[in-house]
């Protein structure tokens, strides 16, 4: 996988040409991990469940050669308004529905979207193992799970968990402190970090501590780049080697994201961002 991935949570443009174009831009930029979920596209009125997968499925039907260039990832386990269900019947039906919407025979990375605390991890593991044995999925990942929840599932799986997907940015440092990155480095799990720009706040500065924006702006001026690029470079700087998932649907911004790979933040730079984000001196 490349160090930057393309996320589909805003991938709702029904125009086939534009939908294909943004996928091609992402792939051409080296974003070979395409990360979706069955819930992406869901509207507040309850419509749109599966829409992002359906749109991508249409692109792959029109341009099947793109499938060979991507690591296709999606997620299941959220069923509004329950909201979480990782029971064997639901997880199997969710995965098979994703396969149909995407129009593919196998999903490269299938992830449990949110932890279902009412399903025993042994049941989740058995379902995932069966789906893998049947050739419907290749690898398994977890999204928004604590390190303890990851370990509980791993204890029942006969194969390693490939990825863990936490929220991480200069605004949301939990994976640094809650053991998520430590567990990834221990187990060889790839962290896929979502919202590396803090939902866009690190680009606009709205609602962000002025001290943090000053540090980011100073680094952007030094590097001859912009806030977004510095924020993305920060998300990539941890030794756990995170893959940062971007969500922009703007072709220019997608292509420009890879400039973060040329920004070299020093140890002092990264710690300055952490300290400004948390608002307290480092111990």
């Amino acid at each position: 996988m490349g160090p930057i991935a393309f996320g589909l949570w805003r991938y709702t443009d029904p125009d086939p040409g534009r939908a294909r174009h943004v996928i091609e831009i992402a792939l051409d930029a080296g974003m070979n991990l395409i990360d979706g979920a069955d819930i992406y596209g869901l509207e507040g009125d309850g419509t749109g469940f599966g829409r992002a997968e359906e749109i991508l499925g249409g692109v792959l039907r029109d341009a099947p050669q793109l499938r060979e260039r991507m690591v296709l990832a999606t997620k299941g386990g959220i069923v509004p308004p329950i909201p979480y269900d990782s029971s064997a019947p639901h997880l199997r039906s969710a995965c098979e529905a994703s396969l149909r919407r995407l129009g593919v025979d196998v999903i490269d990375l299938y992830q449990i979207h949110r932890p279902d605390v009412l399903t025993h991890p042994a049941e989740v593991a058995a379902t995932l193992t069966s789906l893998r044995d049947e050739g419907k999925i290749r690898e398994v990942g977890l999204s928004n799970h604590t390190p303890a929840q990851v370990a509980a599932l791993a204890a029942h799986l006969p194969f390693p968990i490939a990825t863990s997907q936490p929220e991480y940015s200069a605004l949301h440092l939990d994976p640094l402190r809650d053991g998520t990155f430590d567990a990834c480095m221990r187990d060889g799990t790839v962290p896929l970090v979502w919202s590396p720009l803090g939902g866009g706040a690190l680009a606009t500065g709205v609602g962000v501590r002025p001290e943090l924006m000053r540090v980011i702006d100073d680094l952007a001026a030094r590097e001859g780049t912009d806030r977004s690029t510095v924020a993305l470079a920060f998300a990539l700087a941890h030794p756990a080697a995170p893959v940062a998932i971007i969500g922009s649907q703007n072709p220019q911004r997608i292509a420009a994201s890879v400039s973060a790979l040329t920004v070299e933040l020093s140890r002092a730079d990264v710690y300055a961002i952490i300290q400004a984000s948390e608002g307290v001196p480092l111990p």
Side-chain angles (χ1 to χ4, degrees):
M1 290 183 285
I4 302 177
F6 185 62
L8 301 180
W9 62 86
R10 299 173 187 161
Y11 189 68
T12 56
D13 191 331
D15 181 271
R18 289 194 296 266
R20 175 175 171 176
H21 182 57
V22 295
I23 293 294
E24 290 176 329
I25 290 290
L27 292 172
D28 289 344
M31 303 175 194
N32 59 332
L33 176 66
I34 307 298
D35 182 65
D38 57 8
I39 198 172
Y40 290 169
L42 183 69
E43 301 289 348
D45 61 3
T47 63
F49 188 93
R51 180 177 296 156
E53 290 183 331
E54 290 171 353
I55 292 172
L56 180 58
V59 169
L60 294 177
R61 283 191 297 275
D62 292 340
Q65 71 276 12
L66 296 179
R67 176 66 180 95
E68 300 173 3
R69 299 176 58 192
M70 65 177 63
V71 177
L72 180 58
T74 195
K75 310 179 195 74
I78 297 182
V79 191
I82 295 177
Y84 309 131
D85 189 348
S86 291
S87 64
H90 173 72
L91 210 53
R92 171 169 288 278
S93 66
C95 179
E96 292 174 347
S98 289
L99 286 166
R100 288 192 296 271
R101 284 189 290 264
L102 291 165
V104 298
D105 296 324
V106 59
I107 294 165
D108 297 322
L109 175 65
Y110 192 69
Q111 303 158 93
I112 308 300
H113 203 158
R114 294 271 178 177
D116 172 16
V117 299
L118 299 182
T119 300
H120 195 287
E123 181 178 348
V124 179
T127 307
L128 293 171
T129 300
S130 294
L131 291 168
R132 193 171 187 255
D133 290 345
E134 293 163 20
K136 295 177 178 178
I137 63 175
R138 289 197 171 101
E139 301 292 345
V140 163
L142 298 177
S143 177
N144 303 297
H145 284 59
T146 68
Q149 290 167 334
V150 174
L153 180 61
H156 297 279
L157 285 171
F159 53 87
I161 294 171
T163 62
S164 178
Q165 188 171 149
E167 180 181 2
Y168 178 63
S169 71
L171 280 179
H172 189 91
L173 300 174
D174 287 4
L176 291 177
R177 308 299 194 195
D178 66 10
T180 295
F181 284 164
D182 299 311
C184 286
M185 292 186 289
R186 180 193 65 204
D187 300 332
T189 305
V190 177
L192 309 177
V193 300
W194 61 271
S195 200
L197 301 185
L202 290 169
T204 65
V206 176
V208 180
R209 295 173 54 84
E211 298 90 338
L212 176 56
M213 293 316 305
R214 278 197 294 271
V215 172
I216 290 175
D217 284 342
D218 287 347
L219 290 171
R222 186 192 77 190
E223 296 294 318
T225 187
D226 57 22
R227 292 170 167 178
S228 296
T229 301
V230 171
L232 194 54
F234 170 82
L236 297 170
H238 194 274
V243 172
I245 306 172
I246 65 163
S248 176
Q249 301 299 302
N250 181 297
Q252 289 74 33
R253 291 177 185 168
I254 295 169
S257 296
V258 296
S259 63
L261 303 178
T262 66
V263 174
E264 294 186 11
L265 298 180
S266 69
R267 182 181 299 266
D269 296 335
V270 174
Y271 276 123
I273 291 173
I274 291 171
Q275 183 169 264
S277 177
E278 295 183 325
V280 294
L282 293 170

